[in-house]
Amino acid sequence: MEGADFFSVSECKGQKTIDGEQVPLVLTPSAGDDGYEALAAALKANREWVEAKVVANSGVLLRGFDVRDAAEFNALVEALGWPDIRYVGPAPRTHVHGRVWTANEGPLEEFIYYHHEMVLIKEFPGKVILFCEVPPPSGGETPFVPSFRVTERALAEFPEMVEELDAKGLRYTFTALSKNDTKSMRGRGWEDAFATSDKAEAEARARALGMDVEWLPADGGVRTILGPRKLTRVFPGRKGRRMWFNTVVGMHGKELSSATFADGSEIPAEFVRRCGEIIEEESIQFRWEKGDVLILDNLATLHGRRPSLPPRRVLVATCK
């Protein structure tokens, strides 16, 4: 069955129309085709159609297909056929089933700031697929932001600063402990992140990802250093848009992280503060419903997590 026949286009609260496209595009089942097996078959038969929608709309929300658990979600991920990419980053996560992991296991009461998944390393996902197994009673949204809108507005207000940062590049640092700390939303230890407890092997794997490391003698932790990195990126097939492909606001001046010019000089705090306001103003909010599957174009959207009351269980798969 053709994708346009299998799916019906619907709406969700918080949806926006940007450049004539619904963001996210909400797809629900046509009459009688509401099970995950039918959805998996449709996704497999219409991979190119689905991918085109994800790119055109920055995100696609599949709603009403009665997806119940990690195994059924994994079947959908496999049906899409996009290659797997292993998560590398500070968020504590646990493998659940097949290609499915928990999303950030940090405390639900904390806000996870907007970011492109794995934006700082050389190889990052093209798609991030999220599945809501247990919707939270309150809060816990996964807001996301069309990145080009942030660049457009930052250029309108700070043209010289944006171009200077892009030309000179950015330098990021992040400090991680040896072991995981699930009490922190950035508590993934370096042994888990690099899948080894051998420092020499960890250094080699860090270099392969484009990182330098400094070992901290006091507690067995490590400081990773990344850069230079661009402030914005243009990716093929996305109308030449300059994506806000960085994590300056999320890492600037924080306890465990920093973001500076590549030469180490400081980025003006007022610029960072205002960019944070722009990101929030451009964000798209929607309420999770049980069984929702959200496919985000990781090259075009930042995403985060609102504070939440328990229980909340959102699972994730990252794809090339």
Side-chain angles (χ1 to χ4, degrees):
M1 182 181 291
E2 293 294 325
D5 297 324
F6 179 82
F7 297 103
S8 295
V9 175
S10 186
E11 297 178 351
C12 69
K13 189 175 180 180
Q15 184 183 56
K16 293 183 180 181
T17 301
I18 301 173
D19 283 358
E21 300 287 355
Q22 290 182 320
V23 185
L25 177 67
V26 183
L27 298 178
T28 57
S30 297
D33 294 321
D34 60 352
Y36 90 93
E37 292 178 328
L39 175 57
L43 293 175
K44 186 174 183 179
N46 297 280
R47 288 172 176 172
E48 292 183 1
W49 184 88
V50 173
E51 183 162 22
K53 295 298 183 185
V54 173
V55 171
N57 298 76
S58 300
V60 170
L61 176 62
L62 303 173
R63 173 166 283 179
F65 291 96
D66 193 31
V67 186
R68 292 173 294 186
D69 55 30
E72 294 184 358
F73 174 48
N74 186 71
L76 304 182
V77 175
E78 294 284 6
L80 285 163
W82 300 323
D84 190 38
I85 183 170
R86 185 180 186 275
Y87 172 74
V88 177
R93 293 183 173 181
T94 302
H95 180 248
V96 179
H97 179 89
R99 292 173 55 178
V100 176
W101 294 69
T102 58
N104 193 320
E105 295 178 11
L108 287 177
E109 64 269 19
E110 294 189 35
F111 176 44
I112 297 174
Y113 197 71
Y114 300 99
H115 59 284
H116 289 268
E117 203 68 31
M118 294 160 58
V119 64
L120 298 183
I121 63 175
K122 288 183 176 179
E123 187 178 21
F124 38 80
K127 313 290 188 306
V128 172
I129 313 177
L130 298 156
F131 161 60
C132 182
E133 187 173 23
V134 180
S138 178
E141 297 90 350
T142 298
F144 62 96
V145 184
S147 296
F148 81 97
R149 289 288 300 137
V150 183
T151 306
E152 285 182 347
R153 292 186 57 186
L155 275 168
E157 295 188 33
F158 305 96
E160 294 179 357
M161 179 57 61
V162 170
E163 300 299 4
E164 184 180 4
L165 281 166
D166 238 356
K168 293 183 177 179
L170 299 160
R171 179 180 186 265
Y172 301 96
T173 66
F174 183 81
T175 300
L177 299 174
S178 176
K179 305 293 184 182
N180 288 348
D181 176 12
T182 56
K183 295 180 180 179
S184 169
M185 64 182 181
R186 290 184 170 180
R188 193 182 192 198
W190 64 261
E191 293 184 24
D192 183 17
F194 296 124
T196 181
S197 58
D198 181 89
K199 288 186 176 181
E201 182 62 27
E203 285 185 23
R205 294 179 184 182
R207 284 194 298 271
L209 295 166
M211 305 177 190
D212 292 322
V213 298
E214 292 178 357
W215 296 104
L216 306 177
D219 55 10
V222 65
R223 179 181 293 114
T224 56
I225 304 141
L226 305 99
R229 294 287 190 274
K230 298 283 286 182
L231 183 76
T232 69
R233 293 279 297 268
V234 177
F235 296 101
R238 290 161 179 83
K239 302 182 180 179
R241 292 166 168 171
R242 288 176 69 177
M243 304 301 182
W244 187 257
F245 208 70
N246 66 76
T247 184
V248 166
V249 179
M251 291 182 68
H252 182 267
K254 301 299 191 295
E255 181 181 359
L256 296 177
S257 65
S258 69
T260 65
F261 278 96
D263 63 6
S265 57
E266 285 297 320
I267 301 170
E270 173 59 22
F271 170 77
V272 177
R273 184 197 66 77
R274 180 59 188 140
C275 288
E277 290 180 348
I278 291 170
I279 289 169
E280 188 61 56
E281 289 165 7
E282 292 296 327
S283 67
I284 293 165
Q285 317 284 332
F286 77 99
R287 292 282 300 161
W288 282 116
E289 294 183 5
K290 182 175 175 56
D292 278 352
V293 174
L294 177 66
I295 309 171
L296 292 176
D297 180 357
N298 190 51
L299 308 184
T301 56
L302 304 127
H303 67 278
R305 186 196 73 190
R306 292 281 184 215
S308 171
L309 291 177
R312 178 189 188 273
R313 186 169 169 87
V314 174
L315 304 179
V316 63
T318 46
C319 309
K320 293 183 180 179

